[in-house]
Amino acid sequence: MLVVMKFGGTAVESGERIRHISNLVLNYQQKMGFDVILVTSAVRGMTDDILAVAESVRRGDTTSVNWFIDRLKRVHLSLIDSSIFDEAKNKEARTSVIQLVELIENVVHGMLPMREVTPKMLDYLLSFGERLSTFIVSVAIRDIGGNSEFLVGNDAGIVTDSNFGEALPLMDTTKLKVFHKLKPMLAKKIIPVITGFIGADQFGNITTIGRGGSDYSATIIAAGTRADEVWLWSDVDGLMTADPKIVSDARVIREASFAEALEMALFGAKYMHPRALEPAIESNIPMRIRNFMKIDDEGTLVVNNPSKDSHKIVKAISSIRHTALIDVSGVGMVGAPGTAGRIFDALAKNKVNIMMISQSPSESSISMVVKKEVLQKATRTLELSLLGRVIKKIDIKEDVAVIAVVGSGMRGIKGVAARVFGAVGNKNINVIMITQGSSELNLAFVVNDIDCAEVVRTIHGEFKLNKS
Ligand code: ASP
Ligand code: MG
């Protein structure tokens, strides 16, 4: 049984946790006889800090840059001291980490006079978060008697395009390279310990594959090595019926389909790279989302075809708070082919991502939901490029929440919408916009943000999701 195990940033944020996960992995390999491949994230917060340091470079703020380098060194050296106890190994790890920190220091100081960080340089900088944490984990495993080998994502075989920051893995090449690199190591009972988030383009430049990308690295590697399962260990218990911060009796979902998981993960407590599921779906590799602090809990199993008894009408209620709604209207839009295309094209060219869309059948208005951070950019774009021509009016609502009711069991079941909106209506809460994909997997609607928590609790109660 080959399992690719990915550990998130919270699993490596203290030496104690690094020891804990090292023991956990070794236990699976030595006692349970698994073949294990590890994929690790940067220490929690580190990627954000590196992004901030790039901003400091752009401002020419040498003090902040130096402060960061100092912190980077302190944090990782203290992780080593609290997770690697053998004197020689501790020294070896310290030496390597100091070298890596010096490398990043030189690179950043080289950028400071120019005050420039290109996307390519930024990816190179970002890679240090994962390189440092993952390297430490690899030595910590050896420290407790395991046989591990540290690999940067590209050395493990991940090849991407050159779209720095959001690079796309070239899957065929990658799968081949990953297979030939890792299989012989597994045959020798070595545990490959691989940085998440990182690949390299065909010219060897370091790339990153998007925020939260370590999950994606894990599924790519699982596909490449034809793993039996991929486990995403983090500090959440699994996919939940609702956000436990909102619904106190929310439960862990035992089993979900990939399609359901995708809907939930984008909204839920376990943020996941949207592409992370793709390789697992394509290669039909079951995925488990588990809590590394509760190793006896099985978490959520995500598979292509969940067992019959996991089919519920509604499985989860997710919400995205603090979003914004834009409504564009105008009689000129009626019966004019290409209107929607022009609206979305203008927004896309300005990198505004749209989360939800609905058009009235009269075609005289289109509503869209976007993240609040891009609201200004979105309205400016629409005003500059289309207002007064195709569209006559732009209305915005600044603080709304998107509620998604998810479950593949809704398909073909009558009355689900009536139950959802009936329950919400009984609470006297206004629904602003509604969409349902024709797959009937997800019924989504928009309410004022202040109503969000009550709506989620109401629907959770209506479908009795607190009971298994
Ligand atoms: N460290 C990266 C991030 O914070 C990748 C990951 O954690 O999955 O986005
Ligand atoms: Mg993460």
Side-chain angles (χ1 to χ4, degrees):
M1 165 111 166
L2 168 59
V3 182
V4 176
M5 299 193 185
K6 177 259 172 175
F7 289 91
T10 50
V12 291
E13 69 178 344
S14 73
E16 197 191 348
R17 287 189 174 182
I18 291 178
R19 277 285 297 174
H20 169 75
I21 63 165
S22 303
N23 276 310
L24 189 158
V25 167
L26 211 55
N27 197 43
Y28 275 107
Q29 195 218 24
Q30 296 186 342
K31 302 225 173 74
M32 322 261 289
F34 285 29
D35 282 329
V36 184
I37 298 173
L38 231 69
V39 175
T40 319
S41 290
V43 171
R44 182 173 62 96
M46 214 32 93
T47 304
D48 290 320
D49 289 354
I50 298 177
L51 287 171
V53 93
E55 282 311 309
S56 306
V57 170
R58 290 183 180 121
R59 286 196 311 272
D61 181 352
T62 311
T63 317
S64 299
V65 168
N66 287 339
W67 184 83
F68 167 76
I69 299 286
D70 187 54
R71 200 174 82 84
L72 190 71
K73 186 158 147 190
R74 263 187 298 114
V75 165
H76 291 95
L77 287 182
S78 107
L79 286 179
I80 292 174
D81 288 344
S82 48
S83 65
I84 302 164
F85 301 142
D86 174 75
E87 207 173 308
K89 292 201 181 66
N90 180 289
K91 196 153 165 238
E92 174 204 331
R94 288 183 74 98
T95 310
S96 297
V97 160
I98 289 168
Q99 273 170 5
L100 275 174
V101 174
E102 275 169 5
L103 183 59
I104 189 171
E105 185 172 12
N106 288 335
V107 170
V108 175
H109 280 148
M111 293 172 180
L112 266 169
M114 247 87 74
R115 297 193 177 189
E116 190 184 2
V117 186
T118 63
K120 180 168 155 184
M121 294 168 173
L122 184 58
D123 272 6
Y124 182 71
L125 287 186
L126 284 171
S127 73
F128 281 86
E130 266 72 10
R131 281 157 80 175
L132 287 160
S133 63
T134 308
F135 171 73
I136 295 172
V137 172
S138 74
V139 184
I141 292 177
R142 282 196 277 124
D143 192 49
I144 54 169
N147 186 6
S148 67
E149 199 171 313
F150 168 69
L151 296 157
V152 185
N154 45 307
D155 297 329
I158 298 182
V159 188
T160 70
D161 64 11
S162 304
N163 183 20
F164 298 100
E166 256 340 299
L168 201 64
L170 309 178
M171 276 312 277
D172 291 320
T173 320
T174 295
K175 282 204 281 200
L176 215 65
K177 289 187 84 168
V178 164
F179 186 86
H180 288 294
K181 181 74 192 187
L182 301 182
K183 280 289 186 181
M185 292 172 71
L186 294 169
K188 285 188 247 159
K189 290 287 158 210
I190 295 170
I191 303 174
V193 183
I194 306 167
T195 61
F197 191 43
I198 307 171
D201 68 7
Q202 52 179 329
F203 310 107
N205 300 304
I206 294 277
T207 54
T208 63
I209 57 176
R211 292 307 304 273
S214 298
D215 294 330
Y216 193 13
S217 304
T219 56
I220 293 166
I221 287 165
T225 52
R226 299 172 203 158
D228 296 294
E229 291 193 9
V230 51
W231 296 359
L232 308 180
W233 296 94
S234 72
D235 59 353
V236 303
D237 293 349
L239 297 174
M240 307 281 294
T241 54
D243 181 349
K245 286 196 261 345
I246 298 178
V247 182
S248 56
D249 55 358
R251 280 185 322 103
V252 175
I253 296 167
R254 285 275 144 255
E255 215 176 318
S257 67
F258 281 112
E260 289 170 331
L262 183 64
E263 301 287 341
M264 292 177 223
L266 292 179
F267 290 83
K270 165 88 184 84
Y271 173 77
M272 208 189 289
H273 191 297
R275 284 227 170 76
L277 297 169
E278 250 174 47
I281 296 173
E282 274 171 27
S283 303
N284 198 12
I285 301 171
M287 171 189 277
R288 270 179 208 283
I289 298 170
R290 311 184 58 168
N291 188 333
F292 61 83
M293 297 305 279
K294 301 182 184 169
I295 50 175
D296 294 328
D297 291 2
E298 300 211 332
T300 304
L301 175 67
V302 187
V303 289
N304 269 329
N305 297 306
S307 60
K308 271 275 171 297
D309 53 328
S310 79
H311 287 205
K312 299 182 102 187
I313 300 180
V314 168
K315 235 177 227 184
I317 322 293
S318 328
S319 52
I320 310 185
R321 296 197 55 183
H322 305 304
T323 57
L325 186 110
I326 306 171
D327 185 76
V328 295
S329 55
V331 274
M333 291 164 61
V334 178
T339 308
R342 284 162 75 180
I343 292 171
F344 300 140
D345 193 45
L347 292 172
K349 283 204 178 101
N350 286 282
K351 293 206 174 338
V352 174
N353 189 41
I354 305 169
M355 296 165 61
M356 214 173 144
I357 303 167
S358 113
Q359 176 178 275
S360 64
S362 76
E363 300 174 40
S364 64
S365 81
I366 293 180
S367 304
M368 294 162 280
V369 176
V370 296
K371 288 213 172 104
K372 230 171 143 176
E373 304 90 80
V374 296
L375 176 62
Q376 277 208 5
K377 186 158 78 169
T379 45
R380 202 183 333 120
T381 301
L382 292 170
E383 280 173 349
L384 284 173
S385 49
L386 299 169
L387 189 64
R389 274 161 282 171
V390 198
I391 56 187
K392 280 278 155 320
K393 207 160 144 254
I394 302 174
D395 289 305
I396 56 170
K397 257 200 166 25
E398 258 188 75
D399 204 18
V400 296
V402 179
I403 314 282
V405 182
V406 181
S408 52
M410 290 196 287
R411 196 170 302 146
I413 303 284
K414 297 174 194 74
V416 179
R419 269 177 82 183
V420 169
F421 296 120
V424 175
N426 282 339
K427 297 277 169 180
N428 227 346
I429 289 169
N430 186 35
V431 173
I432 303 168
M433 169 182 170
I434 303 172
T435 64
Q436 177 177 312
S438 54
S439 69
E440 299 180 44
L441 194 68
N442 184 339
L443 173 64
F445 58 98
V446 173
V447 295
N448 282 318
D449 189 76
I450 39 165
D451 294 326
C452 176
E454 190 172 2
V455 170
V456 173
R457 278 193 287 266
T458 302
I459 306 174
H460 198 268
E462 171 66 30
F463 290 92
K464 302 196 170 50
L465 297 188
N466 60 334
K467 302 212 173 66
S468 55

